[in-house]
Amino acid sequence: MNPKVDRYLSKAKKWQKELEKLRMTILDCHLTEELKWGVPCYTFQESNVVLIHAFKEYCAILFVKGALLNDANGILIQQTKNTQAARQIRFTDVREIVEMEDVLKACIYEAIEVEKAGLKVEFKKDTEFIIPEEFQNTLDEIPALKTAFDALTPGRQRGYILYFSAPKQSRTRESRVEKCMQQILNGKGLNDQ
């Protein structure tokens, strides 16, 4: 048991019993406990296998390569349509965790086997992401913006494409493109300072 995780759990205002139960269930599977990205992370031979998250409406166990798991019980959730590798199982009561403990352990052991086998998630290529029409029109109108965008790393390009694609209304997508143009021209990613 990692003292950093002890501190994290002691400060948890909501879901404390649930997080403790998830922790004990995961530790029963002989993974190494660490604190990464501000949350409990469990590793096998230094590879991230599973994390514990607390959200407003639920707490969750997140399998880093969950897309590769069998999911015979149909319990793994893809958080958003753009999430490629990770899958979670959500809980709102400690009783749910107790009732599913055997299934959870089976998923954890399967995730460990995925790591042992060295399996990798096949990520979409950046060219598979659809550039929203509003952004494409702006790129066509302003060659310097297209040049600057093409010079960004694939991850930064993907970040912008996902950000611009998210709103349902065209007006909002256009507004986002306008707000980010200078940052792109400056060679910065969406979250760069």
Side-chain angles (χ1 to χ4, degrees), residues 11 45 48 69 72 77 84 96 119 123 130 143 162 185:
K11 293 178 183 177
Q45 296 179 349
N48 302 325
L69 301 181
I77 297 169
Q84 295 184 57
E96 296 171 324
L119 300 178
F123 290 103
I130 298 169
L162 295 175
L185 289 166

Side-chain angles (χ1 to χ4, degrees), residues 135-151 181 184-185:
F135 185 45
Q136 186 60 59
N137 291 342
T138 306
L139 291 174
D140 293 343
E141 292 169 13
I142 307 171
L145 184 65
K146 179 167 179 22
T147 301
F149 182 74
D150 289 344
M181 282 175 45
I184 293 170
L185 289 166

Side-chain angles (χ1 to χ4, degrees), residues 1 9 17-33 42 49-52 61 63 89 91 93-109 112:
M1 294 173 90
L9 293 174
K17 285 186 246 171
E18 291 80 6
L19 296 172
E20 286 284 354
K21 182 60 182 165
L22 287 171
R23 178 190 200 189
M24 299 316 294
T25 300
I26 296 167
L27 287 174
D28 279 351
C29 298
H30 312 290
L31 292 173
T32 302
E33 183 175 63
Y42 300 86
V49 175
V50 65
L51 291 84
I52 297 174
I61 181 172
F63 293 91
I89 304 172
F91 303 97
D93 189 275
V94 73
R95 188 179 60 240
E96 296 171 324
I97 300 166
V98 171
E99 290 170 2
M100 288 186 65
E101 190 165 16
D102 291 339
V103 173
L104 288 174
K105 285 183 178 180
C107 288
I108 294 165
Y109 286 126
I112 293 168

